[in-house]
C-alpha cells in the first residue's frame, strides 16, 4: 500500500465503513455531528439588513448570530448566496465562486464563518449544480455555436424530443423541459424553468468542475452542502424526462470526494423519493449521501394533521425507519418551497387542501400549498406547539425555516413560492426592524394577525409564554435526548388511534414520546417491561408510575409528553 492509500483509509474508515453494521462499534455514531444537530434555514436577503439598502446582507446575519445561538441552533443552512440574476431566488447561479454583491463581499463571508465558528456553530450551503442560470458564462458560451468550448457542458438535442412537455417540475408555470436555442437551432434540456439549463454530468469536465466548487467552499469553512434537486442531477441525459435512468454512483463519488477534502463534511440531499428508492440514495452501507429530507413522512404527517387519521403516517414511518448507521433523515415542517403533497392519493391531498389551503391561490403546481405553518394550522397555539414537539422528536435531524419559530404568516399576493419568503419580523418598528430603509426590497407582512406589530421576535422574546420560548425549550429538551438522533426508533401501539407513540433505545436508555393529534383528551396504555416509572422530561409535569408492566398516560387535546424510563438525565 502506498502512502496515499493508507492516508485515505484513515480519513475514510470512521465515516465510510460505519455503514457496515458488523464492523462498526455502536458509539461511532456519536462522531457524526449531523445526527443530532438543530438546523436553521435562512435566506440572507430577507433575514436582516445591516446597511439600510432595503435588502438583507451577510453582516445582518452576523448581527443575529446570538439570537440563533440563544434559540439553540447548531447549523445554519444558507440558501443560495452566489451571484445570480435572481429569477429563481438564487437557485439560478451565475458564478459558483462568488458572493452576490448585493449580500456582501468575500470578506464579509469569511467574517461570518469566523463568527459562526466562534459560537460553536456550523454553516451548510445550498449546492445548486443540476443547472446553472442561462446567464452563467458557461451557458452564454455554450449557445454561441455547436463547437463552442462549453457546448458539451449542457444537454442538447437537434430535434424536439417527443417528451419535451413531460416531467416539468413547475407545472402550470413551466411549459416544457426542452427549449429551442435560436442561435444554434438546437434544443437544450432544463428540468426546471427555461432559464435554468441542466448541466451535463456525463461530461467528466463538469464533474471535475463540481469538485472544484465543493473544494472551494469547504476551504471557505463550509461544513456541508444541501444538495439541490438530487434525482435530477443523477438523470442520465436523454434517457427520457418521464422515467429517466438514474446514475446512483454519482452520489457515492461526490460523497467520497467531499470527504477526501474534509472527513466530517456532510451532504443533505433534496430528494423527494419513494421509500423503496431510499437505499439507492443513502447507499446500501451508507456510502451514498449522508442525509436526505424525509419528504415522504412529511406529506403523510400533514395528512395526519388535516384528517386526524394517523395510519398512513405510521406506515410511512415504518417504511423509512431502517437506514444505515451513518445515514440520517432530516425532518421539517415547512421549507422555502410549497409543501409538496404529490405522493399522497388524490383524496388525501384534497383533504389537506380542504383543511389547510382551500383557496386555489394557496395551492401550487397541482401538488402543494404555498403557505407558512401557522396559517395552515389556523394559528392555533395548541396545534403549533404539538407540531413542533413532534418535529424535535421525530427520528432524525430537525430543520427549522427562519420565522417559523415566531409563527410568521405568508403573503399570498407574491408569486409562486415567494409567499413564504417575506422578511424576518424582528420587532414592531418600521419594516419589522428588518431594514432601516423606507422600503424593503420585498414587502414585510404588516397587516392582520401575522403583521409585524403582532408577530415579532423582540415581543416574543419578552413573553415567556410565546411560541418562540416554547420552541427554544423544546430544542433544549431535544438536546437532552441524544437517543432521538442516535438510537433505534419504534412506532408503538398505544391503544388510541389519535396518538403517535415513538420509543427510542440507545445505550441502555429508553425514551417514549407521545403526541395527541386530536382535539379531545386521550388515554394511552403502553408496555414498559420491568420499568418502575416513566420520568416526565417536561419541567413541572408529574412522573408516571408503572403497574403490571404497563403505564397509562392521559394527554390533553393536542397534548404531548416526553418520558425517559427509570432515568431523568441522559
Ligand atoms: C429545489 C429548490 O428547493 C427550489 O426552490 C428551486 O426552485 C429548485 N430546486 C431549482 O433549483
Amino acid at each position: 500500500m502506498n502512502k496515499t492509500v493508507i492516508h485515505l483509509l484513515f480519513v475514510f474508515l470512521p465515516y465510510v465503513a460505519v455503514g457496515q453494521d458488523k464492523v462498526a462499534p455502536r458509539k461511532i455514531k456519536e462522531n457524526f455531528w449531523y445526527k443530532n444537530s438543530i438546523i436553521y434555514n435562512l435566506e440572507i436577503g430577507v433575514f436582516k439588513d445591516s446597511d439600510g439598502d432595503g435588502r438583507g446582507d451577510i453582516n445582518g446575519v452576523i448581527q443575529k448570530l446570538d439570537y440563533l445561538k440563544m434559540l439553540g441552533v447548531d447549523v445554519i443552512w444558507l440558501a443560495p448566496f452566489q451571484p445570480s440574476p435572481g429569477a429563481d431566488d438564487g437557485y439560478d447561479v451565475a458564478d459558483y465562486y462568488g458572493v452576490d454583491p448585493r449580500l456582501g463581499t468575500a470578506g464579509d463571508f469569511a467574517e461570518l464563518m469566523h463568527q459562526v465558528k466562534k459560537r460553536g456553530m456550523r454553516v451548510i450551503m445550498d449546492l445548486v449544480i443540476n443547472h446553472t442560470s442561462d446567464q452563467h458564462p458557461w451557458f452564454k458560451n455554450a449557445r454561441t455555436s455547436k463547437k463552442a468550448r462549453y457546448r458539451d457542458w449542457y444537454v442538447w438535442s437537434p430535434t424536439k424530443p417527443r417528451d419535451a412537455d413531460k416531467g416539468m417540475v413547475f407545472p402550470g408555470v413551466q411549459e416544457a423541459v426542452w427549449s429551442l436555442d435560436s442561435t444554434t437551432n438546437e434544443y437544450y434540456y432544463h428540468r426546471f424553468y427555461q432559464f435554468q439549463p441542466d448541466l451535463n454530468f456525463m461530461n467528466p469536465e463538469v464533474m471535475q468542475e463540481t469538485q472544484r466548487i465543493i473544494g472551494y467552499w469547504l476551504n471557505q469553512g463550509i461544513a456541508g452542502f444541501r444538495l439541490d434537486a438530487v434525482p435530477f442531477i443523477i438523470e442520465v441525459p436523454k434517457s427520457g424526462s418521464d422515467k429517466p435512468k438514474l446514475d446512483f454512483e454519482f452520489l457515492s463519488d461526490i460523497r467520497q470526494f467531499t470527504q477526501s477534502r474534509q472527513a466530517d463534511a456532510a451532504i443533505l440531499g433534496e430528494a423527494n423519493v419513494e421509500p423503496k428508492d431510499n437505499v439507492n440514495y443513502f447507499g446500501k452501507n451508507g456510502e451514498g449521501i449522508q442525509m436526505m429530507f424525509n419528504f415522504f413522512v412529511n406529506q403523510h404527517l400533514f395528512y395526519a394533521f388535516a384528517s386526524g387519521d394517523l395510519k398512513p403516517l405510521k406506515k410511512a414511518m415504518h417504511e423509512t425507519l431502517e437506514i444505515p448507521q451513518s445515514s440520517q433523515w432530516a425532518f421539517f415542517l415547512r421549507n422555502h418551497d410549497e409543501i409538496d403533497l404529490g405522493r399522497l392519493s388524490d383524496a388525501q391531498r384534497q383533504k389537506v387542501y380542504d383543511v389547510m389551503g382551500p383557496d386555489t391561490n394557496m395551492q401550487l403546481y397541482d401538488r402543494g400549498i404555498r403557505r407558512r405553518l401557522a396559517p395552515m394550522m389556523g394559528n392555533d397555539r395548541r396545534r403549533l406547539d404539538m407540531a413542533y414537539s413532534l418535529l424535535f422528536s421525530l427520528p432524525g435531524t430537525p430543520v427549522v425555516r427562519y420565522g417559523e419559530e415566531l409563527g410568521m404568516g405568508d403573503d399570498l399576493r407574491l408569486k409562486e413560492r415567494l409567499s413564504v419568503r417575506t422578511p424576518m419580523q424582528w420587532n414592531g418598528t418600521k419594516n419589522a426592524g428588518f431594514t432601516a430603509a423606507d422600503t424593503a426590497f420585498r414587502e414585510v407582512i404588516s397587516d392582520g394577525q401575522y403583521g409585524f406589530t403582532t408577530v415579532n421576535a423582540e415581543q416574543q422574546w419578552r413573553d415567556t409564554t410565546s411560541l418562540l420560548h416554547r420552541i427554544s425549550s423544546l430544542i433544549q429538551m431535544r438536546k437532552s435526548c441524544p437517543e432521538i438522533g442516535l438510537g433505534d426508533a419504534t412506532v408503538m401501539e398505544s391503544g388510541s388511534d389519535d396518538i403517535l407513540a415513538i420509543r427510542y433505545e440507545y445505550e441502555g436508555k429508553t425514551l417514549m414520546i407521545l403526541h395527541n393529534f386530536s382535539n379531545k383528551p386521550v388515554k394511552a396504555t403502553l408496555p414498559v417491561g420491568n420499568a418502575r416509572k416513566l420520568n416526565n422530561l417536561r419541567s413541572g409535569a408529574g412522573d408516571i408510575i408503572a403497574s403490571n408492566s404497563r403505564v397509562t398516560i392521559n394527554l390533553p387535546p393536542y397534548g404531548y409528553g416526553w418520558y425517559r424510563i427509570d432515568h431523568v438525565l441522559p
Side-chain angles (χ1 to χ4, degrees):
M1 256 194 255
N2 70 28
K3 260 191 175 161
T4 325
V5 174
I6 294 173
H7 173 74
L8 283 177
L9 274 180
F10 271 109
V11 173
F12 285 135
L13 266 181
Y15 296 99
V16 178
V18 285
Q20 293 142 20
D21 289 12
K22 284 185 205 99
V23 238
R26 285 188 60 83
K27 277 220 161 187
I28 196 108
K29 282 184 177 186
E30 290 177 16
N31 289 332
F32 304 124
W33 57 266
Y34 53 85
K35 284 245 170 199
N36 254 329
S37 289
I38 307 291
I39 303 181
Y40 186 93
N41 167 227
L42 67 88
E43 280 166 57
I44 297 173
V46 287
F47 199 57
K48 171 72 188 162
D49 174 18
S50 74
D51 58 8
D53 68 353
R55 188 182 291 269
D57 45 46
I58 296 175
N59 287 324
V61 177
I62 295 176
Q63 287 175 7
K64 295 299 180 186
L65 289 178
D66 291 324
Y67 166 82
L68 299 180
K69 185 73 190 168
M70 166 284 287
L71 185 59
V73 170
D74 302 302
V75 179
I76 300 169
W77 154 25
L78 292 178
F81 55 80
Q82 290 138 315
S84 154
D88 184 13
D89 233 7
Y91 284 92
D92 46 335
V93 177
D95 171 8
Y96 286 98
Y97 300 100
V99 171
D100 184 333
R102 295 170 306 177
L103 306 178
T105 63
D108 296 337
F109 190 83
E111 184 63 18
L112 171 67
M113 300 311 287
H114 169 72
Q115 294 296 341
V116 165
K117 197 167 161 204
K118 199 174 87 184
R119 289 167 175 83
M121 297 192 280
R122 291 182 162 87
V123 173
I124 62 173
M125 64 181 275
D126 256 287
L127 183 62
V128 188
I129 50 167
N130 174 67
H131 46 265
T132 65
S133 159
D134 62 358
Q135 298 307 305
H136 195 292
W138 302 333
F139 191 66
K140 282 185 168 173
N141 168 280
R143 70 196 319 183
T144 54
S145 107
K146 288 183 194 162
K147 295 210 164 67
R149 164 74 182 88
Y150 288 96
R151 182 74 175 178
D152 195 36
W153 282 42
Y154 294 87
V155 183
W156 299 94
S157 167
T159 52
K160 187 172 184 177
R162 262 183 300 122
D163 52 5
D165 59 356
K166 299 246 159 37
M168 280 85 71
V169 176
F170 303 127
V173 181
Q174 183 189 352
E175 276 164 17
V177 294
W178 289 94
S179 289
L180 185 67
D181 172 56
S182 51
T183 327
T184 54
N185 217 18
E186 285 198 338
Y187 290 80
Y188 65 91
Y189 187 59
H190 55 91
R191 230 341 143 170
F192 295 89
Y193 297 109
Q194 196 173 353
F195 53 80
Q196 290 168 316
D198 275 38
L199 282 164
N200 174 16
F201 277 94
M202 292 295 123
N203 179 346
E205 280 189 340
V206 173
M207 190 62 183
Q208 214 172 51
E209 188 68 29
T210 298
Q211 294 182 345
R212 289 267 187 284
I213 297 167
I214 292 173
Y216 175 81
W217 287 107
L218 289 175
N219 246 344
Q220 305 301 310
I222 287 289
F225 300 93
R226 179 258 186 201
L227 189 58
D228 188 59
V230 180
F232 304 119
I233 301 175
I234 61 177
E235 271 180 23
V236 175
K238 304 195 198 167
S239 62
S241 57
D242 212 12
K243 285 209 170 67
K245 283 205 191 79
L246 302 178
D247 168 23
F248 290 105
E249 247 177 59
F250 173 90
L251 299 176
S252 43
D253 288 353
I254 201 168
R255 180 209 171 127
Q256 269 187 32
F257 173 79
T258 305
Q259 290 198 319
S260 73
R261 290 296 169 91
Q262 191 171 300
D264 70 346
I267 297 175
L268 164 57
E270 185 215 13
N272 179 354
V273 295
E274 284 186 40
K276 67 173 170 44
D277 295 324
N278 293 337
V279 60
N280 296 320
Y281 288 82
F282 284 135
K284 219 163 143 214
N285 293 311
E287 70 279 10
I289 50 178
Q290 291 95 330
M291 283 201 282
M292 282 204 285
F293 290 102
N294 198 328
F295 284 98
F296 195 69
V297 162
N298 182 268
Q299 336 202 351
H300 291 92
L301 176 60
F302 275 80
Y303 176 66
F305 285 147
S307 67
D309 175 7
L310 270 65
K311 277 189 241 71
L313 170 63
K314 290 182 185 172
K315 184 163 175 277
M317 290 189 61
H318 277 302
E319 288 173 342
T320 56
L321 275 178
E322 280 290 310
I323 56 175
Q325 280 210 62
S326 57
S327 311
Q328 183 64 304
W329 286 117
F331 285 100
F332 58 101
L333 291 171
R334 287 299 285 114
N335 64 14
H336 60 294
D337 289 329
E338 81 287 0
I339 173 153
D340 189 336
L341 306 168
R343 296 202 178 277
L344 298 181
S345 69
D346 290 350
Q348 288 172 330
R349 189 178 324 105
Q350 192 55 47
K351 180 74 195 172
V352 187
Y353 280 166
D354 291 346
V355 177
M356 296 179 149
D359 298 350
T360 43
N361 184 37
M362 298 169 175
Q363 301 160 14
L364 194 60
Y365 310 138
D366 302 331
R367 62 166 179 254
I369 299 180
R370 59 187 203 109
R371 304 180 82 190
R372 287 246 194 195
L373 186 71
M376 288 174 81
M377 294 283 195
N379 213 9
D380 181 336
R381 262 303 294 279
R382 295 171 312 169
R383 295 176 72 198
L384 285 168
D385 289 1
M386 188 280 259
Y388 276 102
S389 165
L390 191 61
L391 172 67
F392 295 116
S393 63
L394 285 171
T397 297
V399 183
V400 179
R401 166 99 177 133
Y402 82 90
E404 290 291 304
E405 74 274 27
L406 310 175
M408 267 175 58
D410 39 57
D411 185 347
L412 293 168
R413 294 169 311 165
L414 297 173
K415 71 165 191 167
E416 298 177 57
R417 293 152 295 152
L418 293 184
S419 52
V420 296
R421 302 176 182 180
T422 60
M424 176 71 171
Q425 297 173 194
W426 291 107
N427 58 43
T429 66
K430 189 179 74 176
N431 282 323
F434 159 68
T435 176
D438 286 338
T439 320
F441 91 100
R442 188 174 296 153
E443 233 178 281
V444 174
I445 295 180
S446 50
D447 295 334
Q449 56 180 325
Y450 303 105
F452 66 86
T453 49
T454 312
V455 175
N456 69 65
E458 207 170 278
Q459 171 261 326
Q460 290 200 23
W461 185 236
R462 292 204 178 111
D463 173 5
T464 52
T465 66
S466 66
L467 181 63
L468 177 63
H469 267 270
R470 177 56 61 96
I471 287 182
S472 90
S473 59
L474 282 167
I475 290 178
Q476 267 194 35
M477 191 153 73
R478 159 65 190 245
K479 289 188 171 187
S480 75
C481 297
E483 298 95 322
I484 300 176
L486 301 172
D488 297 324
T490 323
V491 177
M492 301 175 77
E493 273 316 313
S494 68
S496 162
D497 289 341
D498 298 319
I499 290 183
L500 180 68
I502 310 178
R503 188 179 64 217
Y504 287 100
E505 277 165 287
Y506 186 66
E507 300 281 317
K509 305 255 171 72
T510 304
L511 267 183
M512 284 192 187
I513 305 184
L514 277 65
H515 288 88
N516 175 8
F517 279 64
S518 83
N519 60 2
K520 308 179 298 280
V522 289
K523 187 169 84 177
T525 310
L526 295 157
V528 290
N530 298 328
R532 286 170 295 121
K533 65 171 179 164
L534 292 189
N535 291 288
N536 204 325
L537 301 188
R538 291 180 67 186
S539 54
D543 295 339
I544 313 243
I545 307 299
S547 108
N548 295 329
S549 301
R550 308 187 81 70
V551 288
T552 300
I553 302 175
N554 292 302
L555 290 177
Y558 302 115
Y560 55 90
W562 294 43
Y563 311 92
R564 191 177 267 119
I565 290 185
D566 285 343
H567 293 267
V568 178
L569 296 176

